[in-house]
Amino acid sequence: DPQLNSDYNFQNFIEGECNRLARSAGFAIAQNPGKTAFNPLFIYGASGLGKTHLAHAIGIQVKERFPEKTVLYVEANKFERQYADATRSNERNDFVHFYQMIDVLIIDDVQHLAAKQKTQDVFFHIFNHLHQSGKQLILTSDKPPVELEGLEQRLLSRFKWGLSADLQVPDFETRKTILQKMAYKDGIELQDEIIDYIANHINTNVRELEGALVSLMAQSTLNRKEITIDLAKDLIDKLVSNTRKEITLDVIQQTVCDYFSMPVDQLKSKTRKREIVQARQIAMYFAKSKTKSSLSTIGARIGGKDHATVLHACKTVKNLLDTDKRFKSFVTDIDKMLEN
Ligand code: ADP
Ligand code: MG
């Protein structure tokens, strides 16, 4: 199938806490498209975390199990362009009919439909038709439905009919597994120390892990050098300082959790354990000072809290910075990690 990249299959998609729900829902859908409660499946998460890969994997698996079903993968931008072309050449009905015949429709990066009123209208009708006929919809986006500004309410409410599942930054262990599998696929063997070093220093997303490994292999081939820990350290340090990474809510949560050695889920959970509350407050404080996110977005993403909780967290952190030396050293360390 030309639209589906055969490398982006389930077998190559490494499972971890970071993607468990989205992956297993996707897998269940692939066995039973249109017949599960996950319709639509709405997969969201920051860039490079595997949305496109997972969306393809579902499509590939459906095609394998049900060769007679029509699966269509399309990027939202392309959908928009096709619709504009169809309208221009008076083929709007053909466009709509074409999409209404599909059994499994995958639209990647639906955030790009923001502010595209006409395209949203036509998508709304296609969505309704497919959903009512028991066809499967899979959507991906860089934000959860609640944060998709510029999308019509009636579409957003439909996006929430099925299951919304996010992809998070993989934790350290999963980063290691991903690196091991990637290296293995490329036929190279890396010492544990090297894998650890990369997994420790590249904690943004899977695309960058992949990029680091590729650069490392290229370096070693070009210079005809073995991949040693020193070569790896040199290269990774350069990569990390070159890509002044964007400080996002995900990066902040991951960094705080890495620092305190706790899983990100804990931070996002409702628990009131002291250490976790404190880590959460620190994450909120950095989110407020280093991103443009609103208090309510920060609260929603970090533990499902409201804006007053975030405001309170920021005050608490500021107070402690003035009064508690140990606390201050935590915050300073994390700041350094974020700004590296
Ligand atoms: P997104 O669409 O969220 O920006 P992609 O799906 O393009 O991210 O993923 C970026 C790269 O990382 C791709 O090469 C993909 O194969 C790889 N990748 C992402 N998540 C995983 C995973 N869980 N296991 C293996 N590879 C992954
Ligand atoms: Mg993508």
Side-chain angles (χ1 to χ4, degrees):
D1 207 299
Q3 306 119 8
L4 294 168
N5 175 348
S6 59
D7 277 339
Y8 284 177
N9 56 29
F10 271 111
Q11 207 175 348
N12 292 338
F13 191 79
I14 313 294
E15 190 174 355
E17 258 342 297
C18 55
N19 59 35
R20 198 168 317 278
L21 176 65
R23 188 201 163 279
S24 55
F27 197 80
I29 284 171
Q31 316 310 311
N32 235 338
K35 305 284 183 295
T36 68
F38 314 137
N39 200 14
L41 174 63
F42 190 96
I43 304 166
Y44 66 93
S47 168
L49 293 180
K51 300 182 295 294
T52 297
H53 186 143
L54 183 56
H56 280 245
I58 300 168
I60 291 169
Q61 182 85 358
V62 170
K63 275 313 259 183
E64 255 171 44
R65 286 190 59 107
F66 309 97
E68 75 288 358
K69 287 203 191 288
T70 38
V71 174
L72 184 77
Y73 166 90
V74 63
E75 286 163 11
N77 278 336
K78 184 168 172 199
F79 179 86
E80 144 98 28
R81 276 196 311 277
Q82 284 179 342
Y83 177 63
D85 289 347
T87 313
R88 216 170 298 122
S89 48
N90 263 321
E91 288 166 347
R92 186 182 183 279
N93 285 343
D94 294 344
F95 175 87
V96 173
H97 282 140
F98 171 79
Y99 274 94
Q100 287 182 341
M101 299 295 291
I102 286 160
D103 295 310
V104 177
L105 176 60
I106 306 167
I107 303 204
D108 204 359
D109 288 321
V110 287
Q111 75 274 7
H112 291 146
L113 296 182
K116 313 270 169 62
Q117 194 65 43
K118 296 258 168 59
T119 314
Q120 288 183 42
D121 276 351
V122 78
F123 179 51
F124 179 74
H125 292 294
I126 292 168
F127 185 108
N128 287 340
H129 181 92
L130 292 178
H131 198 274
Q132 277 159 20
S133 345
K135 304 301 175 59
Q136 180 70 46
L137 291 123
I138 297 153
L139 310 164
T140 81
S141 160
D142 66 351
K143 294 185 202 72
V146 285
E147 289 174 28
L148 277 176
E149 282 158 28
L151 257 78
E152 283 181 58
Q153 211 46 52
R154 56 181 190 166
L155 260 184
L156 290 180
S157 76
R158 273 159 182 74
F159 289 176
K160 291 184 248 173
W161 275 355
L163 176 75
S164 302
D166 69 334
L167 296 178
Q168 298 173 7
V169 178
D171 56 67
F172 178 65
E173 286 306 320
T174 310
R175 296 203 289 273
K176 274 173 42 175
T177 312
I178 289 174
L179 286 166
Q180 274 152 356
K181 293 259 168 86
M182 282 176 179
Y184 179 80
K185 250 184 91 193
D186 289 318
I188 57 165
E189 217 174 303
L190 291 177
Q191 297 157 27
D192 287 347
E193 200 186 1
I194 297 178
I195 299 264
D196 278 13
Y197 195 84
I198 305 175
N200 239 323
H201 290 79
I202 301 207
N203 62 4
T204 41
N205 65 53
V206 184
R207 188 174 291 130
E208 294 199 357
L209 280 178
E210 216 170 28
L213 206 55
V214 170
S215 321
L216 189 57
M217 293 194 298
Q219 280 279 317
S220 116
T221 318
L222 287 173
N223 303 324
R224 297 169 190 277
K225 280 193 212 156
E226 252 186 90
I227 302 182
T228 58
I229 181 73
D230 289 332
L231 181 72
K233 279 187 179 165
D234 239 36
L235 180 87
I236 299 303
D237 292 352
K238 268 190 215 122
L239 282 179
V240 170
S241 60
N242 282 346
T243 54
R244 289 272 307 142
K245 66 182 172 220
E246 194 195 342
I247 301 177
T248 61
L249 293 181
D250 282 332
V251 170
I252 290 171
Q253 295 187 71
Q254 188 65 47
T255 308
V256 170
C257 288
D258 282 350
Y259 184 76
F260 291 116
S261 309
M262 60 172 70
V264 179
D265 309 9
Q266 295 254 18
L267 209 65
K268 299 194 177 191
S269 74
K270 304 271 174 208
T271 176
R272 288 163 185 263
K273 269 205 215 138
R274 214 187 110 70
E275 315 89 78
I276 295 166
V277 170
Q278 189 162 79
R280 199 184 284 133
Q281 289 179 330
I282 294 176
M284 287 174 170
Y285 165 81
F286 281 123
K288 180 69 192 120
S289 55
K290 292 189 189 288
T291 76
K292 294 196 179 76
S293 307
S294 66
L295 291 172
S296 51
T297 299
I298 294 172
R301 292 278 293 278
I302 309 180
K305 309 287 183 195
D306 62 12
H307 77 282
T309 310
V310 181
L311 207 54
H312 174 72
C314 295
K315 277 191 194 139
T316 308
V317 170
K318 279 183 197 143
N319 282 336
L320 285 171
L321 283 175
D322 289 337
T323 54
D324 183 338
K325 279 218 175 92
R326 208 168 100 85
F327 181 87
K328 185 170 178 174
S329 78
F330 294 160
V331 174
T332 315
D333 285 349
I334 296 169
D335 196 0
K336 274 191 205 130
M337 284 166 74
L338 284 169
E339 300 292 346
N340 64 72

